[in-house]
Amino acid sequence: MANDREVTFQVWQGKIPTKFVVPDENDQDAFYLMLPRVSYLAIVTDKVKKHFQRFIQKDKEDEVWFSWNEVPLKFHLPIGN
């Protein structure tokens, strides 16, 4: 039973290594974060925008989206989902 509790704790406290890139840009500009699996992308959007601010046009700074394998990710689902 104690083992189950430890496994459950590790799963819920787990973090996911996440890589952010700007499409068609050099991979050297990638931004890496360890994100809690029960968090949301909306929480880290400001950090990501700040890192990539030189790539963001002033008139499109509110147009941010995340995708994986060219599939847009939903902001309302937890990161580890």
Side-chain angles (χ1 to χ4, degrees), residues 23-73:
D24 303 325
E25 291 297 329
N26 191 338
D27 204 42
Q28 290 178 340
D29 296 314
F31 184 50
Y32 297 90
L33 289 173
M34 291 293 289
L35 301 176
R37 63 182 302 280
V38 293
S39 186
Y40 296 89
L41 286 171
I43 294 172
V44 297
T45 300
D46 286 339
K47 286 183 183 179
V48 175
K49 284 172 56 175
K50 184 175 181 179
H51 178 81
F52 292 115
Q53 67 186 5
R54 64 188 164 134
F55 299 105
I56 300 173
Q57 298 173 2
K58 290 291 180 191
D59 61 332
K60 296 187 178 192
E61 59 188 11
D62 291 331
E63 296 179 24
V64 175
W65 74 92
F66 299 103
S67 63
W68 183 74
N69 283 344
E70 299 184 18
V71 176
L73 299 176

